Amino acid sequence: MTDSAGPPSDPDRPEATEGGGQQDGTPKSGSPQDSPSPSGSPQGGAPQDSPPQGDVSQEKGPAAAEADTADDDGAAGPEAEAGEAGAAASGEAQAGSEPAAGPVRGEADGVQTWADQPKDGIVAARKSHWLRWTALAASFLVLIAAGVGWWMYKKLDGNITTDTGAVAELKAYEKERPAPVVVDAQNILLIGSDSRAGDNRKYGRDDGGSQRSDTTILLHLAADRKSATAVSIPRDLMVEIPSCRTADDKKTRERFAQFNSAFELGGTACTIRTVERMTGIRIDHHMVVDFNGFKDMVDAVDGVEICLKEPINDKDAHLELPAGRQTLNGEEALGYVRARKSLGNGSDTERMERQQQFLGALVNKMQSNGVLLNPARLYPVLDAATKSLTTDPGLASLRDLYDLVRGMRDVPTEQVQFLTVPRQPYRNDPNRDELVEPDAGDLFKQLREDKPVAVVPADELEEAERDQESGRDGKPDDAASESPTPTPTYSGSSAADDLCKQ
């Protein structure tokens, strides 16, 4: 029988020991001649034609193989010694390449050695460990953010005061109120409270905490939210005031009186009914803002820039400012929009124009600085506004106010327009105003039907009126007759106007 593994190794040849138990590239420890039978005894001391399955010497390592060889009766001889040398060399090679980390398991089990297994296990354990901690940290941050967001929402929501009394009063007079014409359009009455009670005492004498409507603005938001028109109503305007219920549950008589007396007599509901009777416009919502709310809003946007043609020194308004371009803080801004006697001719007309220009600059500041689109910057503004805000139930939540602001944030600044209702000195008292007809009626009709109006500076409007009266409109008569109905134009300004370029 021919041995397929070749002749047995010769212990006298140096290759057997110096080569680490290898001959012709064949590992000595893995040769059939060195492998005992599974039972531990040699088969007649002769080499086997084929090794048994599961090499025991390879499975047990060099020390175990040497012990088995010593106990083998047929292992004494050159082949046994050569087998021992090869096994030892193979064990040394294995020991040099792999750390001895416990017992070695054979390849027959189909697993890695115990020395290799912890490497993958540790990596997997570390990954799992970090994944768990990352998930826990992310969950914690989400909970914190949700908690802070909820706290901020509840705080802002709680700042708003709901005016349920005005709503109840208006329901009692629902039959006499005008019906809405354009459903998606919004008409909001903004009332600036002139109360001298509490923190507002330093701005004037307190008449028992009575309230006055120092500023009243009818804000019309177009149904498509592409324009907003704010119409100031002079407090000295002579109007028909309906019979209203007072704070002590008494009823007043109808009267033709100064407009701001409606707020003093019957509060918000009486003012709304007076505006609706005068304009024919259904008021959807109302807001009452006092002095401190206005100041805080200006401070929340880091001030508003204006341009003064002359210096101001008004002790009553607590205001002293040089001429030129400058940024007003909240206190200065309040004095600027309230000053009357020390600026211009001292009329309420000029004061309303300053108020409109300042509000336009405030809107422009909020839009140009991204306040309306940045929650971090919008929060201080909303906090300041809601602290001094009283609204009807329809705007008494932060969600309602946010929806209102969101509807306005895409309105171009040039389409945010400010004007005063057309008026002139009252014929019986030049210190009071009266409406100019048909101009005032045309304005109210345009807003009621959600149709556009245009505003231009006062000097441009006067020039255009002079040209029209003299017939110098620059167009042939037939061309003018074929043109569509022109958009009514009024004296006013827009939020895009630069006050220093006028």
Side-chain angles (χ1 to χ4, degrees), residues 236-238 349 423-436:
D236 296 334
L237 184 68
M238 300 301 292
T349 299
R423 84 281 183 221
Q424 62 188 10
Y426 179 44
R427 64 179 67 92
N428 296 328
D429 185 353
N431 294 319
R432 300 291 182 262
D433 291 326
E434 66 180 2
L435 294 176
V436 175

Side-chain angles (χ1 to χ4, degrees), residues 161-169 286 390-393:
T161 301
T162 306
D163 186 3
T164 56
V167 175
E169 181 75 6
H286 69 268
T390 301
T391 74
D392 64 281

Side-chain angles (χ1 to χ4, degrees), residues 304-341:
V304 175
E305 187 179 71
I306 64 167
C307 199
L308 299 177
K309 296 179 180 179
E310 298 177 356
I312 300 176
N313 188 1
D314 190 328
K315 293 182 180 180
D316 293 336
H318 305 279
L319 186 65
E320 185 174 355
L321 297 171
R325 186 186 294 268
Q326 55 199 288
T327 300
L328 304 185
N329 61 28
E331 187 73 28
E332 294 168 337
L334 180 59
Y336 176 73
V337 299
R338 294 191 63 253
R340 179 175 181 177
K341 298 178 180 179

Side-chain angles (χ1 to χ4, degrees), residues 138-151:
S139 301
F140 181 73
L141 291 176
V142 169
L143 288 175
I144 291 295
V148 171
W150 177 249
W151 176 83

